[in-house]
């Protein structure tokens, strides 16, 4: 097998090679090696790739790139597999980040990204009453860009010290691969986020579940986070869902669930008394999070589930039907936005501009359904 290591790749002349990322489009969009072409595994056979240069092919961890390299070499390409794949490159990249990265990021939240990130973070906290004096918040970190940014925003809010509250930066390891665990820990160290890691065996427990394993895994992970937060004396857990998550969830509910509901900025736990879930990134746009990430050359894991390491687009998409639907809705919103830039804002505002007199039916807080004719009968 023709392979090239990540260190060998860094020593090559970028003008003399072609990098080909064969993961699914969503994974590529979330993060990729700079300069790489996105050609999914199912399309590469018919893709017009350039000849005459050294071609480096990579997937997530190297599970399918080797087979693709063999096919390309049979067609006359000077193709090589990147040993360790994107995760291998990511490990080295995180290790090479500058020692003052955390300082740069913190200064950026006070200057360059203050208006689009910190101001909106603080606005959501104030507008939705997410934080109160003497709260102890478990800031839940998955290892992705959203939760890592949330951790830095909470640190910046703490620096302002307007009222006392405590933070615990909580990372749950549900059975991560060694590489993914290492990337999360390295990013936390680079960004000066003092994480508390606890381990569970969730991945092993859902391994043999055929029906909706991702849904069950997500439910179990949420339950473990609540339990650990309560054990640590926290009364709130913070998740990194952002503005785009909110409008996508709203539209998904209508198109696929036949219901009008949204992702709430705060929710009281039904199973863990005294614990409230909050979403302080509620007003922050995903494009601004990506701009922050790219400004400091940061790279984060997208999905740390060890069962997606085969990294074919079919496998990744089939892991969660909801994920596939979310991508469709994301593309739908993007297309509508090109025609009307107010589309996203209108979807968001629709959830707080509900006129019950024009609704066929609604459920009250006790789950009782009320119909529009009830007032007429009275």
């Amino acid at each position: 097998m023709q392979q090239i290591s990540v260190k060998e790749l860094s020593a090559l002349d970028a003008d003399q090679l072609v990098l080909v990322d064969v993961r699914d489009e969503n994974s590529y969009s979330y993060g990729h090696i700079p300069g790489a072409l996105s050609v999914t595994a199912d399309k590469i056979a018919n893709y017009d790739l350039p000849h005459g240069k050294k071609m480096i092919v990579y997937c997530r961890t190297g599970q399918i790139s080797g087979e693709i390299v063999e096919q390309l070499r049979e067609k006359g390409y000077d193709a090589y597999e990147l040993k360790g794949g994107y995760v291998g490159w990511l490990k080295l990249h995180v290790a090479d980040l500058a020692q003052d990265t955390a300082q740069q990021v913190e200064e950026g939240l006070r200057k360059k990204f203050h208006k689009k990130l910190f101001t909106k973070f603080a606005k959501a906290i104030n507008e939705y009453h997410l934080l109160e004096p003497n709260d102890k918040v478990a800031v839940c970190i998955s290892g992705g860009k959203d939760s890592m940014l949330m951790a830095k925003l909470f640190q910046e809010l703490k620096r302002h010290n307007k009222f006392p509250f405590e933070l615990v930066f909580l990372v749950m390891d549900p059975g991560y691969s060694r590489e993914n665990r290492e990337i999360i820990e390295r990013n936390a160290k680079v960004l000066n986020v003092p994480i508390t890691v606890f381990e569970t065996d969730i991945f092993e427990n859902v391994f043999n579940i055929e029906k909706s394993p991702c849904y069950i895994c997500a439910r179990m992970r949420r339950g473990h986070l609540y339990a650990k937060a309560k054990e640590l004396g926290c009364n709130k857990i913070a998740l990194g869902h952002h503005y785009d998550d909110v409008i996508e969830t709203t539209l998904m509910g209508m198109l696929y669930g036949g219901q009008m509901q949204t992702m709430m900025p705060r929710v009281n736990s039904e199973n863990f008394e005294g614990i409230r879930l909050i979403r302080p990134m509620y007003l922050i746009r995903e494009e601004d999070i990506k701009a922050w990430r790219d400004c400091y050359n940061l790279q984060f894991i997208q999905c740390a589930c060890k069962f997606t390491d085969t990294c074919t687009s079919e496998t990744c998409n089939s892991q969660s039907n909801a994920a596939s639907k979310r991508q469709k809705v994301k593309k739908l919103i993007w297309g509508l936005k090109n025609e009307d830039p107010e589309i996203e804002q209108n979807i968001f505002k629709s959830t707080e501009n509900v006129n019950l007199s024009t609704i066929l039916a609604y459920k009250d807080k006790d789950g009782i359904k009320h119909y529009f004719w009830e007032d007429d009968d009275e």
Side-chain angles (χ1 to χ4, degrees):
M1 173 60 63
Q2 298 293 328
Q3 291 185 324
I4 188 169
S5 70
V6 175
K7 287 187 177 180
E8 289 173 327
L9 173 65
S10 62
L12 294 176
D13 184 352
D15 293 333
Q16 299 302 314
L17 60 85
V18 177
L19 276 166
V20 182
D21 187 322
V22 295
R23 299 173 301 156
D24 62 281
E25 294 176 357
N26 185 43
S27 297
Y28 176 87
S29 175
Y30 192 92
H32 58 270
I33 301 176
L37 295 174
S38 175
V39 188
T40 55
D42 58 335
K43 296 178 181 178
I44 198 164
N46 299 317
Y47 195 89
D48 186 19
L49 293 167
H51 282 273
K53 292 186 177 182
K54 190 184 294 290
M55 186 172 297
I56 313 298
V57 179
Y58 70 89
C59 58
R60 178 176 169 79
T61 58
Q63 296 292 319
I64 65 167
S65 53
E67 181 180 342
I68 293 173
V69 165
E70 290 182 0
Q71 296 171 0
L72 291 172
R73 293 186 75 87
E74 289 176 0
K75 293 182 178 181
Y77 290 100
D78 185 22
Y80 300 81
E81 176 189 12
L82 181 62
K83 189 175 181 180
Y86 177 70
V87 171
W89 175 85
L90 189 55
K91 281 179 59 179
L92 188 63
H93 174 82
V94 173
D96 288 341
L97 284 172
Q99 292 184 350
D100 63 344
T101 297
Q103 181 181 347
Q104 293 179 35
V105 167
E106 290 160 7
E107 290 178 354
L109 292 179
R110 295 163 198 160
K111 298 177 181 179
K112 182 173 183 178
F113 293 101
H114 186 84
K115 184 177 181 180
K116 291 187 175 181
L117 295 180
F118 183 76
T119 298
K120 290 184 178 180
F121 181 79
K123 181 180 179 181
I125 286 176
N126 292 328
E127 190 166 316
Y128 302 119
H129 304 280
L130 304 184
L131 200 62
E132 298 167 309
N134 302 314
D135 275 344
K136 187 173 183 178
V137 185
V139 181
C140 300
I141 299 175
S142 65
K145 67 184 191 313
D146 306 328
S147 60
M148 282 294 191
L149 172 59
M150 178 174 66
K152 295 307 297 180
L153 288 167
F154 262 117
Q155 286 181 326
E156 179 64 14
L157 187 68
K158 182 75 172 174
R159 190 181 70 86
H160 287 247
N161 201 31
K162 290 190 175 181
F163 57 78
F165 65 93
E166 294 183 59
L167 299 172
V168 177
F169 300 101
L170 195 58
V171 175
M172 181 182 65
D173 182 346
Y176 289 147
S177 66
R178 178 178 56 82
E179 294 82 3
N180 281 326
R181 169 79 173 257
E182 187 176 341
I183 290 168
I184 294 172
E185 291 175 338
R186 285 186 178 183
N187 267 323
K189 184 176 181 180
V190 165
L191 291 172
N192 194 25
V193 177
I195 58 175
T196 297
V197 182
F198 73 102
E199 298 178 352
T200 68
D201 56 1
I202 293 176
F203 283 172
E204 293 302 324
N205 289 333
V206 302
F207 182 76
N208 294 316
I209 296 176
E210 296 183 2
K211 187 176 181 180
S212 303
C214 292
Y215 171 77
I216 295 172
C217 179
R219 295 271 298 187
M220 291 178 69
R221 292 171 76 168
R222 186 71 60 86
H224 278 282
L225 284 171
Y226 273 115
K228 188 64 177 180
K230 191 163 188 175
E231 176 189 321
L232 294 173
C234 300
N235 66 314
K236 290 178 179 175
I237 69 170
L239 301 184
H241 296 117
H242 49 67
Y243 185 99
D244 296 71
D245 290 325
V246 175
I247 61 175
E248 289 161 13
T249 299
T250 302
L251 206 53
M252 284 176 66
M254 297 174 66
L255 297 178
Y256 297 109
Q259 56 190 347
M260 179 59 195
Q261 63 178 23
T262 192
M263 179 183 286
M264 299 297 287
R266 70 179 204 185
V267 181
N268 292 330
S269 173
E270 296 180 357
N271 300 317
F272 294 87
E273 186 177 355
I275 301 287
R276 173 176 289 171
L277 182 154
I278 61 173
R279 296 183 169 101
M281 306 265 284
Y282 204 78
L283 301 177
I284 296 178
R285 299 306 310 267
E286 185 175 26
E287 62 183 8
D288 294 326
I289 299 174
K290 290 180 177 179
W292 167 81
R293 175 199 65 189
D294 296 342
C295 179
Y296 303 105
N297 200 22
L298 300 171
Q299 293 281 347
F300 303 102
I301 60 172
Q302 178 197 11
C303 175
C305 175
K306 67 181 182 182
F307 305 125
T308 61
D309 280 356
T310 50
C311 69
T312 62
S313 56
E314 180 181 358
T315 300
C316 292
N317 289 335
S318 66
Q319 287 299 313
S320 171
N321 191 34
S324 178
K325 289 176 179 176
R326 184 171 291 276
Q327 287 306 307
K328 291 179 181 178
V329 168
K330 188 183 286 286
K331 290 181 179 179
L332 174 62
I333 294 173
W334 182 82
L336 292 171
K337 179 184 176 182
N338 285 339
E339 299 176 5
D340 184 350
E342 301 296 318
I343 286 292
E344 295 164 308
Q345 184 178 354
N346 288 340
I347 297 173
F348 188 90
K349 284 186 174 180
S350 70
T351 61
E352 58 184 36
N353 289 328
V354 178
N355 186 342
L356 291 181
S357 66
T358 64
I359 299 296
L360 294 178
Y362 71 93
K363 290 182 180 180
D364 62 22
K365 64 180 181 179
D366 297 318
I368 299 174
K369 197 168 187 177
H370 300 274
Y371 294 90
F372 75 96
W373 63 72
E374 293 177 0
D375 290 338
D376 294 340
D377 291 344
E378 291 178 2

